[in-house]
Amino acid sequence: MDKILIRGGKPLKGEVHVRGAKNAALPLMAASLLAEGPCVLHNLPCLHDVFTMDKILSGMGVEIEFTGRYMTLTTPDTARPEAPYDLVRKMRASFFVLGPLLARFGRARVSLPGGCAIGTRPVDIHLKGLEALGARIRIDEGYVAAEGRLEGADVTLPFPSVGATENVMMAACRAEGVTRLNNAAREPEIEDLARFLNAMGARISGAGTDLITVVGVDTLQGVEHAIMPDRIEAGTFLAAAAGTHGDVTVMNARAEHITAFLDKLREAGAEVEVHGQHIRVAARNGLKAVDVATAPYPGFATDLQAQTMAVLTCADGVSRITETVFENRFMQASELTRMGADIALDGNTAVVRGVDHLSGAPVMASDLRASAALVIAGLMATRGETAVARVYHIDRGYERIEERLAALGADLERVRE
Ligand code: UD1
């Protein structure tokens, strides 16, 4: 298993290009199941999660060509609407195939997901939403077996779940009649998905707001689509810049997608400049403590919480970080403490007392964003070497992170054990 070895203490400097968004790519790949012709996705990131979705779709009989930067997906009428446990357990986003399969084939059998170790993460909201559209659902030996002709309905989500919003929106595209999805999640990835579906011939309005209306259509055709830039990847590089007192510009990013995060960096004393699609963060002086509470979009992204905690370990003062989206999403805290951070957990709040410096240590990645936080902490550590184990978590969501950080002046390498 690979490790990343980091000799920290160097400010990151330079420019880095952001890849296509993982959290847009996965639902877009699933949505291609709805089209009766080939779909082409551009700007696809080369990530393990993308390879997993590729395997799930190929296993159903979807014809896929992947050249590294774009992917063509063609779903024949003969595809088998089934997603097996072996693949679905690796990635919760596999569950996104349920809505499109049901809408296109009238039935689906999809394993219940596993995914990151960040709380119980049930799929009840997805299932209730699809049932409201008329799906008959039963749980059978760890699988969700769904069938039925879908009809438009008024659906109110009890919580603005990103995945449930996407699953119900995709299913509603081919349901008969009008669906109104209330308390929908507003994440930019949902807007990207709606743009793709509308280009296919769907009739979706309101994506990006909390009321999405979908007028069902009979058929959807294949289209080409360029995936939006990854806002979490952009935020991760900018957090690394702030934490190392560096000066980094992320290119091809959308500042308006991470407003809450950039506002916190400013409040902590970092310089933040936005020029069109480039975002520059510089932190020549030390940072000040700030309080952060995660929330559904447009609030502070839970996917940037761990990286922000790493940055705040050396800020001047006491920061309080409250996680409201997931339970049990402070897996990075105990590992950061092993590097010298002072973090006390109190329910869903972490109290981070700024320390003078971090020291390198062997640490273990536990989930995707926690592992990004450990890499940032390793880059910040002014003494010793950090060895981040279980790097496969990082590879789920960051493309060749060590090479891109090295290009910013970091001293790190991947080693094979
Ligand atoms: C998506 C993102 C993930 C991000 C999360 C929140 C993708 C591929 N993943 O995950 O990176 O961290 O949004 O921004 O886009 N919940 C239920 N029942 C459900 C569904 C969700 O209780 O049926 C709960 C979850 O346990 C969690 C919260 O709702 O506590 C948010 O989950 P959700 O918005 O659904 O996240 P995902 O779509 O899984």
Side-chain angles (χ1 to χ4, degrees), residues 25 31 63 163 180 191 239 256 374 394:
E63 292 147 23
R180 273 183 211 85
E191 282 186 74
E256 67 273 22
L374 297 180
I394 304 182

Side-chain angles (χ1 to χ4, degrees), residues 185-338:
R186 293 182 278 167
E187 269 68 2
E189 290 77 11
I190 293 167
E191 282 186 74
D192 204 32
L193 176 60
R195 271 193 292 277
F196 179 58
L197 293 165
N198 281 342
M200 282 181 181
R203 293 177 60 198
I204 302 170
S205 54
T209 74
D210 61 1
L211 172 60
I212 298 178
T213 305
V214 186
V215 181
V217 297
D218 288 338
T219 55
L220 294 165
Q221 75 229 9
V223 286
E224 293 204 18
H225 181 84
I227 298 171
M228 63 177 275
D230 196 316
R231 63 197 170 99
I232 305 303
E233 190 183 72
T236 302
F237 281 116
L238 296 173
T244 60
H245 299 169
D247 186 341
V248 170
T249 302
V250 293
M251 321 284 282
N252 180 36
R254 303 270 166 76
E256 67 273 22
H257 290 167
I258 47 172
T259 305
F261 169 75
L262 295 177
D263 284 350
K264 282 295 164 192
L265 287 186
R266 281 195 190 95
E267 193 185 326
E271 256 176 74
V272 179
E273 282 174 19
V274 179
H275 299 287
Q277 305 220 332
H278 308 325
I279 313 171
R280 172 172 170 251
V281 165
R284 269 174 281 279
N285 305 315
L287 298 175
K288 298 188 295 271
V290 288
D291 291 342
V292 172
T294 65
Y297 192 84
F300 191 100
T302 173
D303 283 350
L304 286 170
Q305 178 261 109
Q307 301 89 317
T308 306
M309 181 184 286
V311 173
L312 293 174
T313 55
C314 293
D316 188 18
V318 181
S319 304
R320 295 173 70 83
I321 302 178
T322 305
E323 173 58 58
T324 73
V325 178
F326 287 106
E327 48 183 279
N328 198 14
R329 205 180 192 180
F330 288 141
M331 313 277 274
Q332 71 283 359
S334 54
E335 298 298 281
L336 293 173
T337 303
R338 298 183 55 251

Side-chain angles (χ1 to χ4, degrees), residues 23 92 121-126 161-163 303 325-326 329:
N23 286 355
R92 183 178 161 82
R121 300 186 84 175
V123 289
D124 53 322
I125 305 176
H126 299 241
S161 152
V162 176
D303 283 350
V325 178
F326 287 106
R329 205 180 192 180

